[in-house]
Amino acid sequence: MSCRSSEIFCRDDLEALFSNAPIGIFSSNPDGRFISVNPAMARMYGYDSPEEMVESATDIASWIYFDPADKMAFLELVRSRDEIVNHECLRKRRDGSPFWVSINVRAVRDEHGNVLQYHGFTLDITERKRTEEALRESEQRYREIFEATSDAIFIDDARTGRMLDVNEAMLKMYGYSSKEEVLAGNIGDLSAPEASCDEAGAQERIRAAVAGTPQQFEWLAKRRDGTVFPVEVALRRSPIGGQDRVIASVRDISERKAAEQEREKLQAQLLQAQKMESLGILAGGVAHDFNNLLHIMAGHVQHLLQGGPEEHPDSVRLRAVAKSIDRAAALVRQLLLFGRKAEFSRRKVDLNHEVEEVAKVLRQTIPRMIDVRLILAKNLWPVGADPVQVEQVLLNLAANAADAMPDGGVILIETENVELDAEFVRTHPESSVGPHVLMTVADTGVGITSDVRKHLFDPFFTTKPAGKGTGLGLASVYGIVSAHGGHVLCYSEPGQGATFKLYWPALTEDVPDCRDVVSNASCNAPSGMDRTHGDGETILLVDDEPEIRQLTQEALESFGYAVISAESGEQALEVYQRHRMEGRPVDLVLLDLNMPGMGGRRCLRSLLQLDPAVRILIASGYTAGMRGQEALSDGAKGFLSKPYRMAELAEKVREVLEA
């Protein structure tokens, strides 16, 4: 059938459109029973032809997956409206398989408003529903991850930088109570003022992230209460909802930073301890050789001074040389203190008493505009220490404090009982667990910079002008306290003064009142020795230095002794045995500890095995407190530290011979 030219669509066109349309088209009676459906509709529901579907008695309201009440409600909705009603629902095909459809239905009425038919279109939206469901599941997973992560997450507009969303972790980390409160503010409010100096760098990183290059950096964040904490920030651009967004993941790294600082601190302490130990060994070795040289020089000077007129120019010069030798020997003693190789006698010491005694000296010697204040704990635990060296520690610290306060100030010395626990020892490896007496020496001086603090206890390091200090004062403090099993800490900032904390192990066992390694071997040795000359007793002199042997032999012979010498421990044993066999016993052995070969200590033990009654006097320039104590414990009768005066040698020899 042909169409008239005035008709836009003729019947043939409409039938062709109905039959070839890719969507389902249908009509039904007022009860909803299908009158006609197009091929697309029949295929959608799994029928071979439209006629088969119409004959199946299916109606438009057969919602197999919905409650019957929903069916009636839908039909009532269509009847009550003149416009097209859209509804999405789950239907079933002929084989029973479910699929989603979108139905658009309109009621066709007569002139009285009665429903004649329903006309509608049906679209298969199963794929769209699957996509929407997958999207919902993805969004749900994203939201769960977004809220469950312990990192703070910000979602910002890539174009404006405005915050669009934050997670619960962000509220907890930054101390906010609601997201609205955060989103109403400015992201700049969440950065610490200290971080503003790198604002340009931060903006550059944000631009790089927006451009597609992920960024990761550390930053200083600020909580709502103003506290500052370090964070690690990761920036990444991500399209969300079709819009460019920047996702910022922020992690609180306070614990990590604290651990890093602690590790660096422990590493620095370990390196410092290793450095001090190495320097101490070096100092001890140098001191030994230097003491031997000083001993030779001092001995010759003393010989030259004997019997000469006091006013002779040569005598004046020799006394000046002797004074310089004494100063050099004092310097060596400081080296030995630093290297923990100085002799000391452990006694039961009340640190409060030592502090009070030193304070009396300080008030008379330091400038009057410096106030010395004491805060001393009652019932202070005793410590096992050498009181002379405790005094040396206090004087060294006070001298440094006075130098740091040229215009006056305060030196505060405080004592208290403390218990060091395992946590303290973990962060201060050179300390030990248990009861300690803490001695604090603080000043209000100029303070110490971090660069200087790194070298504070290094020997010969000083910030004083040339000729004003040796750089051994604090090194000696470190060595003395360490040799007593203690620990030293320094806290200082420029302009804030300096505080030294000295931890002395408290005494947990009785210590004899007399245990002087340097002066003698026995607390019962007679005092007031006035005899310095011998009665022809035989002394075996053992030293590997030829000049020392010659010098000492001359001195001993001048004091009335018969002297035989040996240059090694092996030779000393041979000489001693030979004299015993010949009936010419040796009355005393003057023995150096530090010699090549078998060394002095092995020689000492071998001599005692050979003759338990042998009298041995140790003379050494390597005056390690423990080594001297060990020598005395092994059976030596006395200890003499080089360099010594010849008069000291004569007194010590008589003391040992008559002990």
Side-chain angles (χ1 to χ4, degrees), residues 19 47 60 75 91 109 115 166 211 314 382 419 434 455 467 518 599:
S19 299
Y47 291 92
I60 63 173
L75 287 176
R91 299 297 299 272
R109 306 174 189 274
V115 176
V166 296
D314 289 342
E419 284 276 354
H455 304 284
V518 183

Side-chain angles (χ1 to χ4, degrees), residues 32-107:
R33 182 180 177 83
F34 289 124
I35 298 173
S36 65
V37 297
N38 70 340
M41 182 81 168
R43 289 192 299 271
M44 190 182 300
Y45 281 79
Y47 291 92
D48 295 331
S49 66
E51 294 77 15
E52 185 180 15
M53 183 174 179
V54 172
E55 291 174 359
S56 69
T58 304
D59 61 74
I60 63 173
S62 297
W63 321 119
I64 190 171
Y65 289 99
F66 286 82
D67 188 277
D70 292 337
K71 169 183 174 179
M72 300 309 298
F74 173 70
L75 287 176
E76 184 60 35
L77 179 65
V78 175
R79 291 191 188 103
S80 65
R81 293 188 180 182
D82 290 332
E83 71 270 16
I84 295 174
V85 175
N86 175 263
H87 191 70
E88 293 182 358
C89 57
L90 191 62
R91 299 297 299 272
K92 70 173 182 177
R93 294 186 177 89
R94 185 183 186 183
D95 61 6
S97 60
F99 71 107
W100 279 93
V101 295
S102 173
I103 301 177
N104 295 275
V105 183
R106 183 176 183 275

Side-chain angles (χ1 to χ4, degrees), residues 561-607:
Y561 297 103
V563 180
I564 52 178
S565 64
E567 61 183 19
S568 67
E570 292 85 350
Q571 188 178 9
L573 291 173
E574 180 185 339
V575 172
Y576 190 87
Q577 178 70 349
R578 186 174 67 247
H579 273 253
R580 286 189 70 198
M581 294 177 64
E582 294 174 354
R584 297 181 295 138
V586 173
D587 297 292
L588 181 143
V589 178
L590 183 59
L591 177 65
D592 185 20
L593 276 182
N594 193 40
M595 296 185 297
M598 72 185 305
R601 192 173 178 196
R602 283 180 58 196
C603 178
L604 166 67
R605 292 172 175 172
S606 298
L607 285 169

Side-chain angles (χ1 to χ4, degrees), residues 263-416:
R263 185 168 60 251
E264 291 173 0
K265 177 182 176 182
L266 290 174
Q267 182 69 19
Q269 289 180 347
L270 177 60
L271 292 175
Q272 176 72 6
Q274 291 173 338
K275 177 177 67 175
M276 300 298 276
E277 182 66 23
S278 298
L279 290 173
I281 294 172
L282 176 63
V286 170
H288 168 261
D289 292 338
F290 200 48
N291 269 337
N292 281 342
L293 294 174
L294 291 175
H295 183 67
I296 294 170
M297 289 187 286
H300 285 297
V301 168
Q302 291 172 47
H303 275 302
L304 291 173
L305 283 172
Q306 286 179 356
E310 288 194 12
E311 301 303 323
H312 192 278
D314 289 342
S315 297
V316 174
R317 292 187 179 93
L318 287 171
R319 282 195 294 273
V321 172
K323 186 178 294 185
S324 296
I325 291 172
D326 289 341
R327 291 177 60 189
L331 188 61
V332 173
R333 283 194 294 274
Q334 282 190 297
L335 272 175
L336 291 170
L337 287 173
F338 153 70
R340 310 184 200 182
K341 296 186 169 36
E343 63 281 352
F344 63 91
S345 59
R346 248 180 232 278
R347 300 180 184 178
K348 188 174 182 179
V349 172
D350 177 5
L351 289 183
N352 281 349
H353 173 74
E354 300 303 324
V355 169
E356 289 171 340
E357 292 300 313
V358 169
K360 295 176 184 177
V361 176
L362 293 177
R363 291 185 177 110
Q364 296 176 356
T365 56
I366 62 176
R368 291 185 176 273
M369 62 273 202
I370 296 177
D371 183 17
V372 179
R373 300 177 187 174
L374 307 181
I375 302 178
L376 306 180
K378 296 180 179 179
N379 301 318
L380 196 68
W381 295 327
V383 301
D386 185 332
V388 175
Q389 294 196 14
V390 172
E391 177 184 327
Q392 185 67 48
V393 165
L394 287 169
L395 290 174
N396 284 349
L397 292 175
N400 276 359
D403 290 340
M405 299 182 290
D407 299 323
V410 176
I411 296 176
L412 174 65
I413 305 177
E414 185 176 0
T415 61
E416 62 176 306

